[in-house]
Amino acid sequence: MSENPSRRLNGDADGLRQPLRGEPLSSCLTGVPRVLQATGARPEMARRLAALGLRRGAQVTLMTRTAGRGGIVSVAGARIALDHSMLASLYTTDARDAA
C-alpha cells in the first residue's frame, strides 16, 4: 500500500512532528524561489539539513538538476548538492505566496 505523503509526519530538528504540506523540491521548477515548509527526513538527517541552513522558513532555490535526478540548491548564499531522495523530502511553497 502506498503511503499518502500528506499523511506522513515531519521529523524536524527541533523534535516537533507535524503533517507535511507543500510541494516536494524535487518536482519544482529550477530558478524559482521557494520557502521550505517541512522536511520528511529522519530526525538526525533533519538536524544535519538544519545545520546547512535548510530549515523551516528558509528561502531555497533549485538552481540546476544533476544527471542522477538530484540537484544543486541555493540557500542563504550557499549552494548545496542533494540527491533525489533528499530533494523529495523537502516540502516547499512558492515564495511569492509566502510574502
Side-chain angles (χ1 to χ4, degrees):
M1 176 191 288
S2 176
E3 185 177 315
N4 181 350
S6 64
R7 307 286 284 163
R8 290 186 297 176
L9 294 177
N10 179 22
D12 277 340
D14 58 5
L16 298 177
R17 312 266 310 156
Q18 63 186 8
L20 295 175
R21 294 192 183 99
E23 180 180 11
L25 195 55
S26 61
S27 64
C28 295
L29 297 173
T30 58
V32 178
R34 310 285 296 178
V35 175
L36 188 60
Q37 295 299 316
T39 176
R42 296 182 320 263
E44 61 273 8
M45 184 55 71
R47 283 190 294 275
R48 174 71 177 132
L49 292 171
L52 293 171
L54 291 166
R55 59 180 64 87
R56 191 178 327 149
Q59 183 170 321
V60 298
T61 304
L62 180 60
M63 302 302 290
T64 60
R65 295 186 187 275
T66 61
R69 295 181 23 203
I72 308 295
V73 176
S74 173
V75 59
R79 292 187 179 163
I80 303 167
L82 299 173
D83 68 1
H84 178 73
S85 65
M86 198 52 60
L87 287 177
S89 74
L90 299 175
Y91 291 84
T92 63
T93 57
D94 194 327
R96 295 170 291 197
D97 294 341

